[in-house]
Amino acid sequence: MKQKNFLVTIAIVLATLIIGCADDDFQETVGVCPMVIATNPADLATNVPLNQVITVTFNEEMNPSTINSTSFIVTGASTIGGTITYSGVTATFTPTGNLTTNTTYVVRITTAVKDPQGNALQEDYLFSFSTGATLQPLVIATSPTPNETGVVLNKIVSATFNMPMDPATITTTTFTLKQGANTITGVVTYSNNTAFFTPNANLTANTVYTATVTSGAYNMAGVGLANDYVWNFTTGTIVAPKVILTDPENNETGVSVDKVVTATFDMPMDPLTITDLTFTLKQGTTPITGAVSYSGNTASFTPANPLLANTTFTATITTGAKNVAGVSIANNYVWNFTTINSSGGPDLGSASPFGAFGGNAGITNQGINTVINGSIATTAASTLVTGFHDATAIYTETPLNVGNVTGAIFTAPPMPGTATSFAIAQQALADANAAYLSISPASMPGGIDPGAGELGGLTLAPGVYKSDSGTFNISNGNLTLDAQGDPNAVWVFQTAAGLTVGIAGPTGAKSVILINGALPKNVFWYVGSSATINGAGGGTMVGTIIANSGVSISTAGNAVQTVLNGRALSLISSVTMVNTTINVPQ
């Protein structure tokens, strides 16, 4: 009997539900009425933010017109106002203002809420939540600090908070800067708990400014500062930066053609203002290309190419160069300098008349067409000069080794060498050694290596050139020396080890070509070891070669004539040549 009564009761309940939710053609389970399935905040949630937006989600699509202030009610100490919206299956209540701290709120969704078929909630749905205590944001640090003086004129003003803030509330309305009643325009940004005010222009010197962060700046919970945060600071006196040192100095002469031009300031500068627009170098009105850098109060201009010799250049630091406070130099700083006097070649002294000098080891000719238009000498005995004759004597010539010296031959005894000719040779060697030292890297520093040791195929302006690897080659083509119209233009080539001109083979000879007024007498080769000139024969070499350990020109068996417009001076070892013409420069 009890089982029968229970089944009857269940049937009555189901019938009631079916009748109450009839004709519902939406996607809910058949026979189930509308209901609330989720809320935010959840029921009994605590420490809810004060700017909380309240949402209610249903199990099916609802009739929006039934969701309003009479069916979606939020009460705390009293009913609070807000805006109600509906989308999808969710109703949203946005309070008119922030909620109150430490308050329990009750949300009621009444049975007036219905689905589009008119099916209503079966009973009012209630849930509650509580807000927490107020966690008030504070400004805990500023830059400049309150009442700071001597503030730089390009200062970015900042305020740091004790917690994350709502970036949307950090604006030019809530973070302001004023000078008296005048508002300073600028840009406000926010990052990592810090707000930044960047003025659109430099501040004024010796002036008091007032910065304010208003109570409209909120944290992520919607809580604002308790009060406006206000502080003052004073800018400093304008101190314009100055150029206190330059290299080269103003009106300096004899400057290396590979000089890096520098200017040193009396205070730290803003590196962003030290550029190729504010640091320039010109030759007359022609700009010199180069790279500008800044380090440790010093700006540097590195020319892209060697400067012209015997030329005056003008360097300028413009008023666009500013210190770290944003203050420019008072006026453009301009200075001049002149590069090395290219007529300053070495003094060969008594070595000047000699087309070949064989140190203390002699001079050898192999060939019947060798001509020395000048003199030759060695401090060795006359027997170590072979294959030559001058107007007064023959030095071990054979029918296959004939060399005509148009000047004179100077050696140590025996005859035809004499004590007098030996003394002349000794003095010439001393003068050649002095000239060698005068064009060394120690005496002429700063030489550059434009072809990484390979001079073939290059066209070079006057200047000092030093091989980084220790050897110079002319093998990829001829070397051209361009005097650019200056008959006094000088070239000095420095190699710690060898100099090799030409390559093997019948077409391997390479030449040095002079253009635009360049002269053989102004070309010098400092060779730390030995020099080999066109070993395959042929070609035209130019300049005075001063080698520590010997010079060889062409090789045995070559009939084609090899020309040296210059000198082959060896300090220790011998000079050898085959069918060679040497024209001593005048």
Side-chain angles (χ1 to χ4, degrees):
M1 184 66 180
K2 289 181 179 179
Q3 182 178 8
K4 180 178 181 181
N5 290 340
F6 174 74
L7 293 173
V8 171
T9 302
I10 292 299
I12 293 171
V13 171
L14 289 173
T16 301
L17 290 172
I18 292 171
I19 293 170
C21 299
D23 300 322
D24 187 343
D25 60 357
F26 284 77
Q27 297 304 310
E28 79 282 357
T29 304
V30 175
V32 177
C33 297
M35 64 181 64
V36 175
I37 60 173
T39 66
N40 186 24
D43 189 26
L44 303 179
T46 58
N47 293 316
V48 172
L50 304 188
N51 59 347
Q52 178 69 50
V53 174
I54 303 165
T55 64
V56 175
T57 302
F58 299 92
N59 67 327
E60 63 167 317
E61 190 174 338
M62 305 300 290
N63 183 350
S65 66
T66 67
I67 301 175
N68 50 52
S69 60
T70 61
S71 61
F72 192 156
I73 305 167
V74 181
T75 58
S78 60
T79 300
I80 67 172
T83 301
I84 298 172
T85 58
Y86 178 80
S87 177
V89 293
T90 300
T92 301
F93 182 97
T94 304
T96 302
N98 280 353
L99 304 178
T100 305
T101 59
N102 291 323
T103 301
T104 297
Y105 288 86
V106 176
V107 181
R108 180 185 296 273
I109 307 299
T110 75
T111 56
V113 174
K114 299 178 180 180
D115 66 19
Q117 299 303 312
N119 299 313
L121 291 178
Q122 296 303 294
E123 59 182 1
D124 288 357
Y125 186 90
L126 287 83
F127 67 99
S128 64
F129 61 86
S130 300
T131 55
T134 301
L135 189 59
Q136 202 86 44
L138 301 171
V139 174
I140 58 173
T142 65
S143 179
T145 58
N147 300 317
E148 183 176 338
T149 60
V151 174
V152 296
L153 306 187
N154 60 345
K155 183 66 178 178
I156 296 175
V157 184
S158 67
T160 301
F161 302 90
N162 64 334
M163 63 182 67
M165 302 295 286
D166 181 356
T169 69
I170 309 297
T171 67
T172 52
T173 300
T174 59
F175 191 177
T176 62
L177 184 64
K178 291 187 175 182
Q179 188 271 306
N182 298 321
T183 299
I184 305 302
T185 59
V187 177
V188 172
T189 56
Y190 175 79
S191 177
N192 296 326
N193 292 13
T194 299
F196 300 92
F197 184 102
T198 304
N200 289 338
N202 279 354
L203 305 178
T204 304
N206 296 322
T207 302
V208 177
Y209 288 86
T210 301
T212 302
V213 178
T214 74
S215 58
Y218 294 167
N219 64 14
M220 298 305 296
V223 178
L225 272 66
N227 301 288
D228 291 354
Y229 187 90
V230 182
W231 77 104
N232 299 315
F233 62 86
T234 305
T235 51
T237 302
I238 293 178
V239 178
K242 298 178 181 178
V243 175
I244 57 174
L245 180 68
T246 65
D247 184 19
E249 297 178 353
N250 188 32
N251 297 322
E252 183 175 340
T253 59
V255 175
S256 170
V257 294
D258 64 338
K259 186 67 176 179
V260 175
V261 184
T262 65
T264 301
F265 301 89
D266 63 344
M267 63 182 68
M269 302 294 286
D270 179 356
L272 296 179
T273 70
I274 308 298
T275 69
D276 55 5
L277 297 178
T278 60
F279 190 174
T280 63
L281 185 65
K282 292 184 177 182
Q283 189 268 306
T285 59
T286 303
I288 304 301
T289 59
V292 173
S293 59
Y294 176 79
S295 177
N297 291 16
T298 297
S300 301
F301 184 103
T302 304
N305 299 294
L307 303 175
L308 297 179
N310 289 339
T311 304
T312 298
F313 293 87
T314 300
T316 302
I317 304 289
T318 75
T319 55
K322 300 178 181 180
N323 63 15
V324 292
V327 180
S328 302
I329 63 174
N331 301 288
N332 287 355
Y333 188 90
V334 182
W335 74 105
N336 301 305
F337 62 88
T338 302
T339 47
I340 187 171
N341 184 352
S342 61
S343 63
D347 182 4
L348 294 173
S350 64
S352 179
F354 295 101
F357 196 100
N360 58 12
I363 304 173
T364 299
N365 165 54
Q366 299 180 47
I368 61 174
N369 295 319
T370 294
V371 177
I372 309 298
N373 290 310
S375 298
I376 63 174
T378 178
T379 57
S382 60
T383 53
L384 294 181
V385 176
T386 61
F388 291 98
H389 67 272
D390 61 12
T392 61
I394 297 174
Y395 292 75
T396 322
E397 279 189 340
T398 72
L400 298 178
N401 300 305
V402 177
N404 179 28
V405 177
T406 63
I409 300 174
F410 299 86
T411 72
M415 289 294 291
T418 65
T420 300
S421 68
F422 177 55
I424 292 173
Q426 284 182 310
Q427 184 59 52
L429 178 59
D431 289 347
N433 188 68
Y436 177 77
L437 296 176
S438 73
I439 61 173
S440 69
S443 299
M444 287 189 174
I448 62 172
D449 189 354
E454 174 58 61
L455 299 174
L458 300 180
T459 298
L460 299 179
V464 179
Y465 299 90
K466 176 179 178 292
S467 171
D468 292 335
S469 65
T471 60
F472 268 137
N473 296 315
I474 304 177
S475 59
N476 289 348
N478 297 328
L479 168 63
T480 300
L481 303 182
D482 183 359
Q484 301 170 338
D486 179 7
N488 294 316
V490 170
W491 291 260
V492 174
F493 296 89
Q494 302 164 338
T495 168
L499 166 66
T500 301
V501 178
I503 58 176
T507 62
K510 298 295 181 287
S511 298
V512 175
I513 299 171
L514 305 181
I515 63 174
N516 295 324
L519 297 174
K521 68 178 183 179
N522 293 329
V523 180
F524 298 90
W525 300 86
Y526 169 94
V527 182
S529 180
S530 61
T532 300
I533 310 302
N534 286 324
T540 300
M541 180 60 180
V542 171
T544 296
I545 304 167
I546 311 179
N548 185 68
S549 304
V551 179
S552 63
I553 305 173
S554 188
T555 52
N558 290 324
V560 63
Q561 201 75 1
T562 303
V563 176
L564 169 61
N565 293 322
R567 304 172 180 88
L569 309 181
S570 174
L571 304 180
I572 297 175
S573 304
S574 65
V575 173
T576 64
M577 63 192 77
V578 176
N579 290 326
T580 298
T581 298
I582 297 179
N583 299 307
V584 176
Q586 299 302 314

